[in-house]
């Protein structure tokens, strides 16, 4: 599986690149960019999956316009996914989780209980997730699969 990690913070991208080098991971790359900009470049029906771990929820009302996890983004991602493609969301914000969960069906997804078999045995834990676990904060996880075309 080839992996492309994205972040908008230069320091985190550099740290990630150093880790890739340290562990000699040849199937991964990291880019400094906004996810919306990259998704627009991906051809339809070519993406096996997308993991969105702990996106900034932009909780204040005046900042909600900065959220990229909105209906138009999900529809765009859904078009990029292969027939069995998935979207995996982890967040520490219950309202964010609820919003995506409640809209999943109308956005072209079905909610799944498990990851695709190719990913189940792997551990994907971000620094944010480790921090939240240490602080005993809840983590909300949602696995969505592209709904079959009728």
């Amino acid at each position: 599986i080839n992996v492309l990690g994205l972040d908008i913070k230069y320091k985190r991208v550099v740290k990630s690149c150093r880790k890739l080098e340290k562990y000699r991971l040849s199937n991964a790359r990291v880019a400094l960019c906004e996810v919306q900009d990259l998704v627009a470049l991906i051809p339809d029906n070519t993406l096996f999956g997308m993991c969105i771990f702990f996106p900034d929820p932009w909780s204040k009302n005046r900042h909600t316009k900065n959220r990229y996890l909105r209906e138009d983004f999900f529809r765009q991602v859904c078009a990029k996914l292969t027939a069995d493609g998935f979207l995996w969301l982890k967040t520490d914000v219950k309202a964010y989780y609820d919003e995506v969960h409640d809209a999943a069906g109308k956005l072209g997804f079905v909610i799944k209980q498990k990851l695709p078999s190719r990913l189940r045995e792997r551990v994907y834990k971000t620094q944010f997730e480790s921090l939240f676990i240490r602080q005993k904060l809840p983590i909300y996880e949602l696995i969505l699969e592209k709904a079959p075309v009728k």
Side-chain angles (χ1 to χ4, degrees), residues 8-77:
I8 59 170
K9 300 281 187 179
Y10 179 79
K11 186 175 179 178
R12 287 195 296 239
V13 168
V14 170
K15 286 173 121 178
S16 296
C17 289
R18 288 183 180 146
K19 285 182 182 180
L20 293 178
E21 196 172 272
K22 176 181 176 182
Y23 295 109
R24 296 191 170 118
L25 298 174
S26 61
N27 67 326
R29 302 287 184 270
V30 183
L32 178 67
C33 74
E34 297 277 353
V35 68
Q36 310 90 300
D37 297 338
L38 181 73
V39 168
L41 301 174
I42 298 171
D44 287 357
N45 302 305
T46 60
L47 191 62
F48 171 61
M50 179 178 280
C51 302
I52 303 174
F53 296 158
F54 304 97
D56 191 333
W58 296 100
S59 300
K60 295 179 181 174
N61 284 339
R62 69 178 184 270
H63 293 151
T64 55
K65 67 182 180 294
N66 296 325
R67 285 185 180 175
Y68 64 86
L69 294 187
R70 292 190 301 237
E71 191 172 319
D72 57 333
F73 174 76
F74 282 103
R75 289 188 194 287
Q76 190 177 22
V77 168

